[in-house]
Every structure is written in C-alpha cells, then in structure tokens.
Amino acid sequence: MSDLQKSNSNLQAVGCVEIDDLSIRFASPQGREVVAVETTDLRLEPGSFTALIGPSGCGKSTILNAIAGFVSPSSGSICVDGKAVTGPDPEVGVVFQQYALFPWFTAIGNVKFALKRFRLGREELQRQAHEALKEVGLGDRASAYPGQLSGGMKQRVALARTFASKPKVLLMDEPFGALDAQTRISMHELLLRIWDAHRTTVLFVTHDVDEALLLSDRVFVMSEGPGRIIDSFEVQSDRPRVVDQVDEHFVANRNRITKLLRQSHADSI
Amino acid sequence: MNSVKKIGKVLLSLSGVVAIWWLFALSDAVNPQLFPTPLAVWEAALELHQEGLLYSDLNVSLERAAIGFFTGSLLGIVIGLLTAQTRFFRFALNPFLTLLRPIPAIALVPVAIVWFGIGEPSKYFVISYTVFLAVWLNTHHGMEHIATTYLRAARSLGASRTREFFEVVIPAAAPHIVAGLRMGAALAFLALVAAELTGSSSGIGFRLQEARQFIRTDRMFVGLIELGILGALLDFIFVTMSRKIVHWEHL
C-alpha cells in the first residue's frame, strides 16, 4: 500500500464493505430454486479498487445488486461501514452497463438529479453539477440530451452523476462492456483519475481479464453454476498501468485467471 | 421551403384523387344521384353553410368530442396511475376493465340513451367511456413497464418516493400516455359519430343520418369529408404536440 493510500484510509476509513456467508437463491420461472450465489465471503477495504471477474451468468452481478440493495440475500449478511444493507442507499453508488441515464433530462439535469439530495441553493446546484461534468470532460455538452451523446459520453455523464452524489462505495456493473476498445482505454484512464481524486471504494464487475488487472488493487475470481469465489489475490503491478507495457506480474496474473476460468468452464460442461 | 414542398405534394396527391372521382362520377358506370360529383358536393356544402348548419353542426360535434375526450382521458390517466401503482386498485379494477375493453362504443349507445336520454349527457358518456379505456390501458401499460434500471438508479441516487414518481415514473411512462391520448382522440371521433347517428338532433353524425332520409348523397359526402379533415387535423396536432412533450423520444 502506498503512503498516500495509507494516509487516505486513515483519514477517512469509510466505504468498508463486509460480506459474510452470503448466499442468494431465486425461484426460476418454472418454480425451481436456482442458487445464484453460494456461500460467499468478501471484504472491500476502504478506498480500494476491487475487480470481480467471472464468466457471464456466474452471479457476479447478483453480488453487486445485493450490495446495492436491489436484491435481498437469502442468508448471510452485507454491511457497509458496519451498517446492514436493507435497500438502495445513496452512500452506495451504482454505474450500470446500460448507463441508466434519464433520457428526459439533459446531461447536467441528470447530474442535478443526484445532487438534489444535498438541498443546495440554485446557483450552488448549477455550479456543482457543472463542476462534475467538467471533471469527466463534458463541460461543453451540459445541455445535450443522452440521446444526442455517444456511448462513451453517456457513460461519462453516468460517472459524473454517480460521483456527484458522493457515494462511499461505488459499484460498477460491466460499465464499459458496450464500448469499443479505444473508448474503453480512455474510460479506464478517466475512471482511475476520478477514483484517485475521490478515493471511493470501488467494486468493478467485469468479464475482461485485462480490464480487471489494469484497474484494480485486488481481484476476486468467480466460477459459475452455482456462483462462488474460487480465487482472490493482490495485483502488485505498479500504477499507472498501460495495457501495451505490462510487467511480469501482469502476465503471471493474466495466466492465473485465464487458467482458472478455463478450468471452471471445462468443469461446468 | 420544405414544408411548402410537403403541402404542395399533399395538394397534388389530393387533386389527383378528386380528378379521378370526378371522371368516375361523370361516367355512365354510376348513377349521379347516388354518387355525386365533387362540384355537387361543393354546392351541398355551400347550401349547408347558407342554412347555417355547417358551422353549427361542426361546433356541436367538436364540443361533444372535446368534453368526452377530456373527461375520458383525465379519468384514464388517474385510474391508470392507480392500477399501475397500487396493488389494491389493480386487483379491484383490472379484470373488470379488461372485460369492458372489447365492448364497442356503438353497442353502448342504446344503453346510454335509456340512461341519459337523447340529450348531451348520453354523448359525453359514450365518448368519454371509449376514450377512457384507451387512455387507461396505455397509461397502465406504460407505468407497469418502466425499465428497472431507471428505478434502481433513482433509488441509489437518493431520490425520495415523491421525486421518483414525478421525475422518473411519470416521464418514463409519458410516451405511452401520449400515445394513449392520441389513440383516444381518434376513438373520440368514432364514438361521436356512433352516438350522433342515433338519438340526436344536431351534429355531423345526425346530418349524415338526416341526409339518408332524403337520399342526399351530396350532403352525406360533405359530412364524411368533414370527419376526414377533422380527424386528420386532430391527429396532426397530437403528433406535433407529442414531439414537443416527449421530445427525447425523437432524438
């Protein structure tokens, strides 16, 4: 852990997520019981960046939805800073794969939606919303509607909106999955820059191995059917990390994850 | 320039239709008594105008359609909100409303006359009933099928239930509600004519029925053309308005 990180986590040890013995079961449309997530323990250190990687349908989004308060655990507990999660809470922000911007509001209107909970004055609301858009490089598109923006721009507005509500924990559900490779690289840089400035605890769900290793301090690997965590490790590679200049840790980690995913896939078919 | 061009195209297309109509009416294929020429229809319109009936019929019919439309759509939106948002109203009303839906407005006219007489209330009843069902169905459907991610996003951004309702649920359902109103407006005209054809003494529908008794097809055509123009105009107004109201749908 760097000195900066250390001082930050001492300064504001908030955004700690603790998951104990979590399991989540659903009833399938045929009435059968489906185990989406099998007994899982997981801890997100305050201010850390954690990736949760696994194949599609392995239950990684379900874990994220449970931390967000969108689905209830069947057993076990989820606590954010010692408080049990009972429903959606602005302390826990979510960035969705499909952006979930409100198309009837402009870019700045979407950010203001998040800021309204602070009951600011008109001018302060406008100022902070504009500031948030400037941080993601969209200060000049404030009055554009989501329908007028590209996918990358939409996700930047969504980032600005979520950070504007000042969450202690940020959950990201394959946020860049729908973007092309170049846009994704610049989104990674942007996300890390904002994360560095805010030091929110981030849980980043993805099925992209490189993405997980480029962004995170710690990686959890999941397997499917039923979803469970099969491995977790620290990512030692120095930041900033660039995808075309990876070090030996990166290569070793990539091989490790890929092997795990391949094995668990082979087991499941 | 563009809109002038568009109007020009429409006029050109319509004059083509009128020309063919005219040729057809003058040919020996039809009896001119039963199939009038455009000129005869124009003269009938002038005659109705001179008798003071053209304007007064239009006025009466439009007023009926407007009152029925506003009553029906207001009820449709309110009940639609209730059935979509509260389990009790959904339980109490949805099966009944689903049974009402297939009953055409015209089947209701005899009942309306017995209940309300041949005065205005029976027309308002038939029209608002028809409009209500269309608007209710669309409102209910629109509010029920709001994308979960919108609601999840709103809640995790700390929106209260009130803010969620006004800033997310209503705008998300707006395209459906507006589509329901547009459909309601078209149905208001259908119901209007159904109500006026029997048991009334004024209005475009009544004038059509009256012309039948004197085999005045030229007067009938005046009524039909009036209904066509009114309906098309109204739809145009609704499309223009909905583009403004749900502008984000047209980006």
Side-chain angles (χ1 to χ4, degrees):
Chain A
M1 209 184 245
S2 72
D3 287 345
L4 176 77
Q5 251 172 294
K6 222 172 257 167
S7 71
N8 257 312
S9 57
N10 289 338
L11 193 71
Q12 42 167 53
V14 292
C16 177
V17 179
E18 288 157 300
I19 296 181
D20 290 308
D21 291 330
L22 173 74
S23 76
I24 299 170
R25 292 180 290 272
F26 294 117
S28 76
Q30 292 84 33
R32 240 166 6 99
E33 192 186 62
V34 177
V35 181
V37 177
E38 205 178 51
T39 326
T40 296
D41 296 290
L42 200 144
R43 188 183 152 87
L44 308 180
E45 297 298 332
S48 67
F49 199 121
T50 308
L52 185 56
I53 190 166
S56 309
C58 72
K60 51 195 194 303
S61 295
T62 309
I63 292 184
L64 183 141
N65 285 337
I67 304 173
F70 300 149
V71 301
S72 311
S74 306
S75 66
S77 71
I78 304 171
C79 290
V80 175
D81 289 333
K83 215 175 73 200
V85 172
T86 52
D89 189 308
E91 305 275 272
V92 180
V94 184
V95 173
F96 301 85
Q97 181 176 7
Q98 294 306 328
Y99 326 119
L101 291 176
F102 302 126
W104 45 88
F105 289 139
T106 55
I108 200 164
N110 269 282
V111 179
K112 282 181 184 172
F113 184 93
L115 284 167
K116 274 189 191 157
R117 75 187 188 96
F118 300 117
R119 305 185 182 282
L120 307 163
R122 258 179 87 93
E123 275 166 38
E124 185 58 17
L125 181 71
Q126 179 73 21
R127 196 191 64 76
Q128 287 198 21
H130 209 267
E131 204 57 43
L133 281 179
K134 265 203 336 227
E135 195 175 16
V136 297
L138 286 176
D140 56 338
R141 301 304 304 271
S143 54
Y145 284 90
Q148 299 167 318
L149 300 172
S150 69
M153 288 175 171
K154 280 184 207 161
Q155 199 55 294
R156 281 194 272 163
V157 176
L159 267 181
R161 179 175 75 171
T162 309
F163 272 107
S165 80
K166 300 189 179 61
K168 291 173 185 163
V169 178
L170 177 61
L171 308 171
M172 305 183 82
D173 192 1
E174 303 194 27
F176 310 138
L179 304 177
D180 60 63
Q182 285 99 322
T183 312
R184 202 184 297 186
I185 290 170
S186 64
M187 291 300 293
H188 290 158
E189 285 163 9
L190 176 78
L191 171 62
L192 288 178
R193 188 159 51 75
I194 301 176
W195 171 64
D196 219 38
H198 294 258
R199 281 293 159 170
T200 308
T201 311
V202 176
L203 179 66
F204 191 99
V205 164
T206 180
H207 57 250
D208 183 320
V209 180
D210 284 352
E211 186 171 54
L213 291 172
L214 275 173
L215 295 174
S216 49
D217 300 321
R218 184 164 198 89
V219 175
F220 285 89
V221 185
M222 279 187 81
S223 78
E224 61 194 313
R228 61 189 191 283
I229 289 168
I230 51 173
D231 193 15
S232 89
F233 56 86
E234 299 265 348
V235 181
Q236 307 91 335
S237 309
D238 293 328
R239 291 179 190 275
R241 304 169 192 151
V242 187
V243 74
D244 51 21
Q245 297 159 34
V246 299
D247 58 16
E248 70 277 17
H249 294 304
F250 195 101
V251 177
N253 285 331
R254 184 197 276 155
N255 291 344
R256 178 172 173 175
I257 300 174
T258 313
K259 191 174 169 193
L260 275 168
L261 293 178
R262 195 160 53 88
Q263 276 172 353
S264 91
H265 187 65
D267 289 347
S268 71
I269 50 176
Chain B
M1 184 58 214
N2 210 0
S3 61
V4 173
K5 229 179 183 173
K6 258 187 200 160
I7 293 171
K9 267 188 180 169
V10 170
L11 288 180
L12 190 69
S13 157
L14 286 179
S15 33
V17 171
V18 171
I20 291 168
W21 167 15
W22 210 317
L23 287 172
F24 186 64
L26 286 176
S27 73
D28 289 337
V30 287
N31 178 349
Q33 197 69 53
L34 301 182
F35 199 86
T37 61
L39 183 66
V41 173
W42 174 249
E43 280 166 356
L46 284 180
E47 184 188 292
L48 280 166
H49 176 64
Q50 275 151 12
E51 290 169 19
L53 293 174
L54 195 67
Y55 178 74
S56 72
D57 280 343
L58 192 70
N59 208 18
V60 164
S61 288
L62 274 180
E63 192 180 312
R64 285 171 183 157
I67 290 176
F69 174 77
F70 282 113
T71 320
S73 45
L74 192 70
L75 270 173
I77 290 174
V78 171
I79 307 280
L81 294 181
L82 287 176
T83 54
Q85 294 278 300
T86 64
R87 208 170 293 177
F88 172 73
F89 281 98
R90 188 159 51 242
F91 160 78
L93 292 176
N94 276 27
F96 176 58
L97 292 177
T98 311
L99 280 179
L100 281 189
R101 269 182 51 221
I103 303 177
I106 197 157
L108 223 69
V109 174
V111 184
I113 291 173
V114 172
W115 284 352
F116 301 106
I118 58 162
E120 296 307 293
S122 63
K123 277 85 188 167
Y124 300 154
F125 174 74
V126 172
I127 298 166
S128 53
Y129 163 84
T130 313
V131 174
F132 161 75
L133 281 176
V135 175
W136 165 73
L137 184 69
N138 278 274
T139 305
H140 179 84
H141 182 84
M143 309 249 308
E144 237 190 355
H145 290 83
I146 293 170
T148 353
T149 45
Y150 286 154
L151 300 175
R152 287 179 167 183
R155 283 173 198 168
S156 72
L157 290 169
S160 62
R161 286 288 159 149
T162 324
R163 273 187 59 211
E164 180 187 303
F165 183 75
F166 286 106
E167 295 178 33
V168 180
V169 173
I170 293 281
H176 290 273
I177 299 177
V178 169
L181 292 176
R182 182 183 171 193
M183 195 197 274
L187 289 174
F189 265 80
L190 289 183
L192 168 81
V193 177
E196 283 182 346
L197 280 177
T198 42
S200 94
S201 52
S202 59
I204 300 171
F206 166 73
R207 209 58 62 195
L208 272 166
Q209 188 69 353
E210 188 196 51
R212 185 186 67 91
Q213 284 162 2
F214 302 101
I215 321 181
R216 289 290 304 269
T217 43
D218 50 349
R219 281 194 174 213
M220 289 184 188
F221 271 53
V222 175
L224 295 178
I225 291 169
E226 260 182 285
L227 288 172
I229 292 174
L230 274 181
L233 258 178
L234 201 72
D235 199 56
F236 175 75
I237 292 169
F238 264 88
V239 170
T240 316
M241 260 175 27
S242 75
R243 274 180 187 276
K244 290 231 154 62
I245 298 171
V246 289
H247 54 86
W248 63 88
E249 288 276 295
H250 305 281
L251 289 176

